[in-house]
Amino acid sequence: MKRRKFIQSGAVLAAAIPIGKLQAQVNEQLQSFSTHNKMYDVIVLGVGSMGSAACYYLAKRGYKVLGLEQFDIPHELGSHAGQSRIIRKAYFEHPDYVPLLERAYQNWKSLEEETGEKLYFKTGLLYFGKADHALIKGLRLSASQYSIRVDEMTAQQQIRQFPQFNIPSDYERLIEPDAGFVTPERSVLLYTQQALRSGAVIQTQEKTIEWRKTGSAILVKTTKGVYQCKKLIITAGPWAGKMVPDLARNLKVTRQVIAWVKPKTWTKFEWGNFPCWTIADPEKTGIFYGFPILPVGQFGGPIGLKLAHHFHGTASDPDTINRNLTKSDEDNLTYALNKFIPDGYESTHVMKTCMYTNTPDENFILDFIPGYEDVVVAAGFSGHGFKFASVVGEIMADLAMNGHTQQPIGFLNAKRFS
Ligand SMILES: Cc1cc2nc3c(=O)[nH]c(=O)nc-3n(C[C@H](O)[C@H](O)[C@H](O)COP(=O)(O)OP(=O)(O)OC[C@H]3O[C@@H](n4cnc5c(N)ncnc54)[C@H](O)[C@@H]3O)c2cc1C
């Protein structure tokens, strides 16, 4: 393989408003809106990853939209906190996601162009695992089916280019150069800001208690009032099962942990010097993955080398989830660093909990709610949904307002579990 430099320098990419300033701008805009008019074309229940994008597409198309969020925008109590989310195209989970990813990449770019802000950061993504592991088999399948560039590396090439990793000799080593990360809090804020600028009304600290159909309208009751709409979009993340009880048995919420650690040597793990990575260890279920150290001023905290374990954590209720962090949470993550990235761990800086909402087949649900032709749901993102927020928002707007979408979402229908 020809040796290439996949990692762009931090200086080239560092063009973005500090996250604290963006947050202050959005808060000011949120306070200047009121909800005197209580009849809407469409209500978006939950303004997180998918809901903020849905509000954006609906407001852009000129619809009268109300977004209802139980907490602040953004917040740390759902699924979108934590500074960074991996984005990649050689989708090991299923090749059918690839066309949606093509559209997601385009839509992230459009939002960047519209706002002048960077959201997608190309770092390259390393994949390590045995040839027969689902990660390696699946990414090769998607890459070959859709001609996505994934480069194979020999052990020597990997050690020369990415000496931070100590990988067993019987593992495959691949890199997807066009992969990297997107920034969840910044994206949610920017979608919200652009939706507000296009006329959306968005209410924070307002929890939806129930919704029901009354004649041709839908009634939505919250902690602060009652609204009516023609169409309802439910993007409630881990709370989706509470808002759509018929889907609840197929939406298992799990407790997940992310850590930011101090490595033994700082510079070689910084953005610009270190890529995103995934490792499938046959001795553990799931996949370990991580990110370079990011500058806090631009991306928000915490500071440190971030990593996580993609597997099903403990089943939890989103309202009572255990947010206390334990030694075993820490050991589970530092295990991967000690084993595969020896200079990557000196001490743990911060750990945080987050939630997955898992379907039985770990594929999303993007569909009308069975039995309703004016209520749509985006749920069950099973720990891999954020990168799709830019296309899911568009799909939700299509389904709710046009009754159909051109995006190929047949495999994500809700009926497959009935
Ligand atoms: C640790 C971790 C790591 C991850 N890593 C990746 C990754 O690398 N790449 C990737 O693509 N994905 C990743 N994901 C998955 C991704 O973050 C999620 O799939 C995505 O954020 C889900 O979006 P959502 O809109 O469904 O949920 P959320 O973003 O949580 O939004 C749901 C919103 O609805 C609101 N809400 C719910 N009920 C109500 C109510 N009754 N009234 C008002 N508001 C309500 C909530 O408060 C919340 O703001 C990760 C997830 C976790 C937890």
Side-chain angles (χ1 to χ4, degrees):
M1 193 194 75
K2 232 171 82 192
R3 194 172 166 205
R4 297 182 182 89
K5 185 162 170 53
F6 295 112
I7 305 172
Q8 296 183 19
S9 90
V12 173
L13 297 176
I17 184 173
I19 184 134
K21 194 169 170 196
L22 179 60
Q23 172 90 68
Q25 282 178 3
V26 172
N27 285 347
E28 199 177 309
Q29 284 171 290
L30 283 168
Q31 279 156 22
S32 67
F33 284 88
S34 70
T35 54
H36 290 313
N37 191 333
K38 299 217 168 189
M39 178 73 196
Y40 291 88
D41 290 330
V42 53
I43 289 180
V44 177
L45 195 174
V47 187
S49 321
M50 311 301 163
S52 61
C55 287
Y56 166 84
Y57 282 100
L58 291 158
K60 279 265 167 199
R61 293 180 195 179
Y63 293 110
K64 211 148 98 182
V65 49
L66 170 66
L68 293 169
E69 170 54 48
Q70 62 184 337
F71 302 125
D72 290 331
I73 297 174
H75 63 84
E76 294 211 331
L77 302 171
S79 297
H80 58 260
Q83 204 180 40
S84 51
R85 293 288 188 264
I86 290 196
I87 180 164
R88 53 195 159 87
K89 273 191 204 163
Y91 222 63
F92 72 85
E93 289 87 342
H94 202 297
D96 287 358
Y97 283 103
V98 178
L100 296 175
L101 285 159
E102 300 282 2
R103 184 70 181 173
Y105 268 74
Q106 277 172 21
N107 287 355
W108 287 122
K109 190 159 184 259
S110 303
L111 184 63
E112 287 184 335
E113 284 168 359
E114 185 178 314
T115 59
E117 293 294 330
K118 258 195 108 43
L119 295 164
Y120 155 60
F121 297 88
K122 180 173 150 173
T123 60
L125 172 61
L126 290 168
Y127 297 90
F128 300 116
K130 293 199 181 188
D132 61 352
H133 193 281
L135 170 74
I136 304 296
K137 284 200 304 198
L139 89 92
R140 282 186 169 139
L141 177 68
S142 282
S144 72
Q145 201 166 318
Y146 285 96
S147 305
I148 299 158
R149 185 176 152 202
V150 173
D151 296 333
E152 311 262 345
M153 281 182 280
T154 64
Q156 290 73 16
Q157 285 167 330
Q158 175 255 300
I159 291 162
R160 201 168 58 236
Q161 197 170 354
F162 302 106
Q164 298 94 335
F165 295 89
N166 180 21
I167 301 297
S169 57
D170 58 344
Y171 279 32
E172 305 292 301
R173 297 141 212 265
L174 302 102
I175 183 160
E176 183 180 343
D178 287 339
F181 65 90
V182 282
T183 52
E185 291 92 342
R186 295 177 62 83
S187 306
V188 169
L189 280 167
L190 281 175
Y191 270 134
T192 301
Q193 185 171 57
Q194 294 305 102
L196 291 168
R197 284 179 177 157
S198 296
V201 175
I202 295 180
Q203 296 286 108
T204 56
Q205 296 290 340
E206 182 162 352
K207 181 172 180 156
T208 301
I209 297 161
E210 61 166 333
W211 61 269
R212 72 188 138 85
K213 187 103 206 259
T214 53
S216 61
I218 300 158
L219 215 67
V220 177
K221 188 173 165 201
T222 74
T223 42
K224 295 188 181 162
V226 178
Y227 307 94
Q228 283 190 67
C229 55
K230 296 175 197 152
K231 309 282 178 176
L232 176 64
I233 294 176
I234 299 180
T235 45
W239 289 266
K242 297 197 180 206
M243 289 291 102
V244 192
D246 284 354
L247 292 182
R249 69 177 191 286
N250 294 310
L251 295 172
K252 183 178 125 197
V253 176
T254 54
R255 173 184 177 275
Q256 310 295 142
V257 176
I258 328 169
W260 285 260
V261 308
K262 179 172 179 235
K264 287 194 186 102
T265 51
W266 193 264
T267 330
K268 66 184 184 188
F269 295 102
E270 278 179 331
W271 183 34
N273 298 332
F274 190 63
C276 290
W277 56 272
T278 56
I279 301 177
D281 177 352
E283 287 169 36
K284 295 270 187 180
T285 57
I287 294 159
F288 292 96
Y289 64 98
F291 303 80
I293 297 170
L294 301 177
V296 172
Q298 188 175 335
F299 291 95
I303 185 79
L305 183 63
K306 178 186 161 186
L307 81 154
H309 184 190
H310 179 64
F311 78 122
H312 285 199
T314 313
S316 303
D317 180 307
D319 291 314
T320 56
I321 181 175
N322 176 13
R323 294 191 188 272
N324 297 323
L325 292 148
T326 64
K327 178 82 172 63
S328 100
D329 291 325
E330 184 179 10
D331 289 348
N332 180 44
L333 293 171
T334 54
Y335 160 89
L337 290 177
N338 290 327
K339 183 165 178 183
F340 300 109
I341 311 180
D343 286 345
Y345 186 71
E346 185 173 282
S347 58
T348 304
H349 178 43
V350 178
M351 293 197 293
K352 292 191 181 198
T353 53
C354 193
M355 287 181 273
Y356 282 2
T357 309
N358 304 289
T359 64
D361 61 8
E362 297 187 7
N363 293 313
F364 316 155
I365 298 173
L366 303 181
D367 204 349
F368 292 90
I369 291 182
Y372 294 85
E373 56 191 27
D374 37 22
V375 185
V376 290
V377 63
F381 290 95
S382 307
H384 61 111
F386 193 85
K387 61 184 83 62
F388 295 88
S390 60
V391 65
V392 169
E394 184 182 29
I395 290 168
M396 287 295 99
D398 291 345
L399 289 183
M401 308 322 285
N402 306 339
H404 58 87
T405 180
Q406 289 182 348
Q407 302 305 323
I409 57 164
F411 71 115
L412 303 175
N413 69 78
K415 293 120 215 140
R416 69 187 191 274
F417 301 122
S418 55

